[in-house]
Amino acid sequence: MGKNNISLRGKSILGLEYLSEDEMNLVLDTAKEMKNIINRDIKKVPALRGKSIINLFYEPSTRTRTSFELAGKYLGADVVNITASTSSIVKGESLRDTLLTVEAMGVDAIVMRHKAEGAAEYADKVVSPAIINAGDGAHAHPSQGLLNMFTIKEHKNKIKGLKVAILGDILHSRVARSDIWGLRKMGAEVHIAGPKTLLPRFIENEKGIFVHDRIEDAVENADVINVLRIQLERQKTGLFPSPREYARIFGLNKERLSRAKDDVLVLHPGPMNRGLEISPDVAYCNHSAIQEQVQNGVAIRMALLTLVLMGGKSLEIND
Ligand code: CP
């Protein structure tokens, strides 16, 4: 299929394992156009006028929820936020009933974050609006994976052939899984490192991934280092090794960073535990693109909403 025939219209975005390389490139190319809108004085365009989007968040979020909201509003859609703690979910309403209620209001897309892996796929089967997975347990966070690739491409002009190191709490990280799916399809060489207690068992046998015991080996000559948040709230028996040990043995600091390429790019999905998985001087050094990732998150979410709700052809972005 030629690139011009690729369309995500009406498609739910559940995980990068379900998107082809061409589809991911379509999102990245569209996000480039969207970034031009964000950088204008007047950011509003009518591309999604008359469309309605619900942000349905069962877990806390700053970046993802806010950027999906801004993305929808910049494109002229009506956006409503439902947060579990202030909705009828606290009265015991089930996910199914909540989804059916939202569908009955005539929404066009549901952006959903949930603690259960597979929740977005379940939603996609229960209701007809397009579902965009904004994070389901440790399974997937496709928009974060795409914004990470967009940021890499902006700096390196390519993804294929790059050495990308992903460090830390892989076990609980939906970002790591989306990164791994996306980066492998795009031809990057993916290296993983972290304590054994935070590496899922399947990873050792996964094709096309290099697993290291030592952070030093993963970052050696790396083009990109993606440091993951240690998800302290999901550690069932507390963090092992202890936070102090973790920072000493596995934290990304200046000395470890110096093993990577001179123009290495440092990413972190946020929110950061500064001083634990990443030292403050690395988080804010000139290799860090962490703030750019946040801005690129809005562009990627504008691209996803536009492609899912309108396709790619009828953008009225010059109005
Ligand atoms: N990266 C990310 O998902 O951040 P939030 O939890 O703040 O949305």
Side-chain angles (χ1 to χ4, degrees), residues 117-285:
E117 288 158 37
E121 286 173 45
Y122 170 77
D124 191 43
K125 289 193 168 57
V126 170
V127 290
S128 55
I131 304 294
I132 301 183
N133 185 3
D136 61 329
H139 166 234
H141 194 349
S143 61
Q144 181 73 43
L146 287 162
L147 79 87
N148 289 348
M149 290 195 283
F150 184 83
T151 308
I152 292 171
K153 221 170 164 184
E154 269 195 332
H155 281 262
K156 306 287 181 193
N157 269 320
K158 63 172 187 176
I159 295 176
K160 196 177 171 72
L162 294 179
K163 177 177 178 179
V164 182
I166 303 176
L167 309 181
D169 186 357
I170 317 287
L171 183 65
H172 300 103
S173 180
R174 49 198 173 212
V175 177
R177 284 164 182 73
S178 287
D179 280 342
I180 289 168
W181 277 109
L183 289 166
R184 274 194 309 186
K185 274 190 199 172
M186 296 293 231
E189 195 181 278
V190 179
H191 292 250
I192 301 281
K196 283 267 185 230
T197 49
L198 297 179
L199 292 180
R201 293 202 179 268
F202 78 86
I203 208 101
E204 303 271 354
N205 301 320
E206 196 70 13
K207 280 204 179 78
I209 300 178
F210 300 85
V211 182
H212 304 272
D213 292 331
R214 297 171 71 244
I215 294 284
E216 288 79 355
D217 296 333
V219 302
E220 192 75 42
N221 236 7
D223 298 284
V224 180
I225 302 175
N226 191 8
V227 187
L228 300 171
R229 179 174 77 88
I230 301 297
Q231 301 195 30
L232 293 166
E233 76 280 13
R234 297 192 212 263
Q235 312 288 332
K236 290 193 179 77
T237 52
L239 182 62
F240 185 83
S242 70
R244 188 194 293 237
E245 288 288 282
Y246 186 93
R248 189 173 64 76
I249 303 168
F250 297 103
L252 184 66
N253 55 28
K254 273 271 162 91
E255 193 281 317
R256 291 187 177 119
L257 185 67
S258 69
R259 295 167 180 265
K261 287 208 175 124
D262 289 343
D263 62 349
V264 64
L265 188 67
V266 175
L267 304 178
H268 189 300
M272 277 185 281
N273 297 302
R274 273 180 288 119
L276 181 55
E277 69 261 6
I278 189 166
S279 65
D281 56 351
V282 173
Y284 296 113
C285 75

Side-chain angles (χ1 to χ4, degrees), residues 60-65 113 141 144 174-175 269-271:
S61 168
T62 299
R63 290 148 201 79
T64 313
R65 196 197 62 73
R113 173 171 287 190
H141 194 349
Q144 181 73 43
R174 49 198 173 212
V175 177

Side-chain angles (χ1 to χ4, degrees), residues 83-123:
T83 307
S85 60
T86 55
S87 72
S88 286
I89 295 162
V90 289
K91 300 178 204 161
E93 188 160 48
S94 69
L95 173 58
R96 181 184 169 82
D97 285 348
T98 302
L99 289 164
L100 291 172
T101 302
V102 166
E103 181 184 39
M105 293 179 195
V107 302
D108 298 290
I110 301 171
V111 177
M112 193 175 120
R113 173 171 287 190
H114 200 281
K115 66 176 184 300
E117 288 158 37
E121 286 173 45
Y122 170 77

